[in-house]
Amino acid sequence: MIVVNKSKFPIAFALLCYPLLFGCLKPEEFPNEPRITFKSIEFDESNNAILRIDFTDGNGNFGLDEGDFEGRPDSCVTGYNLFIRQFELQNGNWADVTSDPCLDPENIALFYRVPWAKPSGQIKTQKGEIKVDLDQGWYLESDFDTVRFEITIMDRDFNKSNVLTTDYYLKP
């Protein structure tokens, strides 16, 4: 005959059920449109810059495979999925000084292709960090010393993220 002490039964039952109740937590949910947040930007004395942003994409389709940009509509823009626009403070106004790859294909300036890290398993959401080495491509010789950046990303369905505007920085 098994005797169960009534005072210990609820505690034992709770300890057995705890992993079942909390072991299968719901995964994080994100909107299908990508979202970005600023993490950091670092400049060095050689005029190199490294930008870091965090991103999320609810349906996991941010990133480009090799050749994904071929045959895309308006491929001079949709062939990229990370866009950085650079602004200089010129006489009290922010002026966009970004080169447009549609006007000058040799100068793609601050447009990038982030590779697709295909999510595996049943959960397709993406969450991660993008690190962009701007090298010296951002540094423009000019009479103005203050810059800021606007950053957006675009997923495979051409959904654009929010526009992220950085603080302003003095050129090194």
Side-chain angles (χ1 to χ4, degrees):
M1 178 167 148
I2 299 175
V3 178
V4 176
N5 184 335
K6 289 184 181 181
S7 65
K8 292 184 181 177
F9 181 74
I11 296 171
F13 182 74
L15 289 174
L16 288 172
C17 291
Y18 184 81
L20 295 174
L21 293 173
F22 297 102
C24 298
L25 295 175
K26 291 180 83 174
E28 289 183 272
E29 292 185 16
F30 305 110
N32 286 341
E33 296 78 28
R35 303 286 304 158
I36 55 176
T37 55
F38 181 75
K39 198 163 187 176
S40 67
I41 190 165
E42 300 166 11
F43 302 95
D44 68 19
E45 58 281 343
S46 301
N47 300 331
N48 295 321
I50 298 195
L51 170 73
R52 286 181 163 83
I53 59 173
D54 288 327
F55 80 98
T56 60
D57 187 56
N59 58 359
N61 69 344
F62 172 69
L64 292 172
D65 278 334
E66 190 75 33
D68 275 348
F69 55 94
E70 294 173 12
R72 294 181 94 174
D74 194 19
S75 64
C76 68
V77 173
T78 61
Y80 304 95
N81 59 358
L82 185 142
F83 309 91
I84 301 173
R85 300 203 75 75
Q86 181 175 337
F87 293 82
E88 283 185 344
L89 186 59
Q90 298 178 356
N91 304 316
N93 297 309
W94 288 105
D96 188 346
V97 295
T98 309
S99 298
D100 187 338
C102 297
L103 300 176
D104 183 3
E106 296 299 314
N107 190 358
I108 58 172
L110 301 174
F111 289 21
Y112 298 90
R113 292 185 183 107
V114 178
W116 190 16
K118 295 178 187 177
S120 60
Q122 294 178 343
I123 301 170
K124 299 297 183 196
T125 59
Q126 291 173 304
K127 180 179 180 179
E129 176 186 285
I130 300 170
K131 176 184 169 188
V132 183
D133 189 349
L134 302 177
D135 292 319
Q136 296 173 346
W138 73 275
Y139 192 87
L140 302 174
E141 292 291 334
S142 74
D143 294 333
F144 305 100
D145 65 353
T146 307
V147 298
R148 75 174 188 201
F149 303 93
E150 287 185 359
I151 305 147
T152 56
I153 63 175
M154 183 171 58
D155 68 16
R156 298 169 70 81
D157 292 333
F158 307 112
N159 295 317
K160 289 189 177 180
S161 72
N162 55 306
V163 176
L164 178 84
T165 303
T166 68
D167 287 335
Y168 63 88
Y169 303 94
L170 293 177
K171 292 179 182 177

